[in-house]
Amino acid sequence: MGATPQQKGITIEFDCQFRVCVVQSSFSSIMKAFLMLLPQLLEDFFQKVLVGFGEHEMAQERKSFACQCCGNDREFIWKTRHGKATIVLTWFRYITLKQLQVQCKACGSKQYITRTLLGMEPRKRITEETRRKLVLMGALTSYRVSEKFGKMFGWAIDKMTIWRSVQRVGAGIDFVLDENEVPRCEADGTGVGITIAKRGKELKVLVQYKKRGGIRVAGIDIGNYNGSWDKLFQKSIEVIKKFKEPFLLLTDGDTSIFESLKGKVTVLVQRCLWHIP
Ligand SMILES: [Zn+2]
């Protein structure tokens, strides 16, 4: 199925029939009843859409997936549209899906196509998109509060899931200067103390100006209030050397910042207007 720019999409018939016992007609009773319904509705909807697209794929001469054994991407037969259960995290909660399985006509090997259709990696339960939403929540407030807020609106995502997402995305983020952005930065200790096992230390940040306006974080480190900035600049020294124009660093004059750059690069320094007085 060639990815045309304006894909028409397919129409899914979705009749839902549920039996719910609602005690009163008040707003909150209806909301509560809907929240009871939500998991079932979500699961059914996902399943219907996946089967719909699965059928659509199977009708195409050339599939968007290929046999993992022999590479065949044309000849397949259905094994099942409601096979072994698998768990996926939606924006609201984990849902259980019955996997779609096909068999390769060329070599006979079977494979699940549920995650292929969802655009998810094999065996993964959370999409990158969902994970990033959780991480943003977890980064803006405590994990406990994130969970609490979610619960208020019918979420069933626990704080450990948010915590794990933050750890995972965090581990993949590397702060370094971008040679394609402006060779102009600001560095400062934030004064934000780190209290857990790092008493007496603060968060140090290096931000870089972007060509299109705005700033990006180019370095972050936990260090002593008057301590070394080495770690913050370490990874960026090579990038600083690559800039054709002079590299401008705006600081409050904290001398320890220069220590870590001395002898390595030439830096134009502009004192922060706030700190002059
Ligand atoms: Zn095959």
Side-chain angles (χ1 to χ4, degrees):
M1 194 172 72
T4 46
Q6 286 137 355
Q7 261 175 355
K8 275 214 310 253
I10 65 168
T11 309
I12 310 285
E13 296 287 343
F14 187 64
D15 300 317
C16 61
Q17 261 246 302
F18 291 109
R19 291 169 71 87
V20 208
C21 173
V22 189
V23 190
Q24 297 172 41
S25 62
S26 69
F27 177 84
S28 73
S29 303
I30 298 176
M31 277 311 296
K32 271 189 196 134
F34 181 74
L35 291 183
M36 303 282 288
L37 211 71
L38 186 66
Q40 227 184 316
L41 197 66
L42 257 185
E43 277 178 9
D44 279 9
F45 188 66
F46 263 87
Q47 196 77 46
K48 286 255 162 56
V49 173
L50 288 172
V51 170
F53 270 88
E55 301 278 11
H56 177 75
E57 277 288 316
M58 290 296 267
Q60 304 299 310
E61 197 186 324
R62 196 161 165 207
K63 323 288 185 242
S64 66
F65 53 85
C67 171
Q68 284 152 354
C69 288
C70 72
N72 155 43
D73 63 355
R74 288 166 191 270
E75 306 281 305
F76 290 90
I77 51 161
W78 276 112
K79 278 313 280 181
T80 175
R81 293 164 182 78
H82 297 87
K84 214 176 101 196
T86 189
I87 292 169
V88 167
L89 182 69
T90 66
W91 293 350
F92 307 100
R93 60 182 62 235
Y94 283 99
I95 55 166
T96 306
L97 298 172
K98 301 271 202 286
Q99 298 205 70
L100 286 70
Q101 196 183 35
V102 296
Q103 186 168 22
C104 170
K105 267 169 113 179
C107 77
S109 79
K110 289 178 267 184
Q111 71 187 63
Y112 290 113
I113 55 164
T114 304
R115 282 184 170 72
T116 317
L117 292 169
L118 286 169
M120 290 176 77
E121 284 172 58
R123 290 178 295 278
K124 292 280 155 57
R125 290 184 166 188
I126 309 182
T127 65
E128 205 48 38
E129 188 190 5
T130 307
R131 185 172 282 130
R132 285 183 175 265
K133 280 183 200 288
L134 298 182
V135 172
L136 184 59
M137 288 271 291
L140 293 174
T141 183
S142 74
Y143 302 124
R144 193 181 59 82
V145 172
S146 309
E147 182 187 270
K148 201 92 183 163
F149 278 161
K151 276 208 175 112
M152 279 168 56
F153 297 101
W155 255 33
I157 298 171
D158 61 304
K159 55 179 182 289
M160 284 312 290
T161 302
I162 303 169
W163 179 81
R164 273 195 300 271
S165 299
V166 171
Q167 299 304 310
R168 208 193 141 101
V169 171
I173 296 176
D174 201 12
F175 293 111
V176 68
L177 279 179
D178 185 344
E179 59 176 295
N180 299 311
E181 295 292 354
V182 184
R184 183 155 53 113
C185 281
E186 289 184 27
D188 203 359
T190 58
V192 175
I194 305 295
T195 50
I196 312 157
K198 299 269 184 189
R199 214 162 278 278
K201 295 187 186 251
E202 68 166 347
L203 199 61
K204 295 176 188 297
V205 181
L206 174 71
V207 295
Q208 180 180 18
Y209 285 73
K210 296 205 292 187
K211 280 177 184 160
R212 287 182 176 178
I215 53 163
R216 59 181 292 276
V217 176
I220 198 159
D221 187 33
I222 294 165
N224 297 324
Y225 281 100
N226 293 307
S228 156
W229 288 77
D230 285 357
K231 268 201 276 171
L232 199 70
F233 285 112
Q234 214 170 38
K235 290 184 215 146
S236 292
I237 299 279
E238 289 312 308
V239 184
I240 295 176
K241 288 178 182 167
K242 282 185 194 162
F243 288 124
K244 285 176 201 82
E245 297 156 63
F247 178 71
L248 178 71
L249 179 68
L250 179 69
T251 79
D252 57 9
D254 183 345
T255 49
S256 53
I257 293 177
F258 311 130
E259 290 303 315
S260 59
L261 290 174
K262 216 190 263 173
K264 292 171 189 154
V265 285
T266 311
V267 180
L268 278 176
V269 178
Q270 182 186 326
R271 295 285 153 89
C272 159
L273 286 178
W274 177 257
H275 283 81
I276 288 171

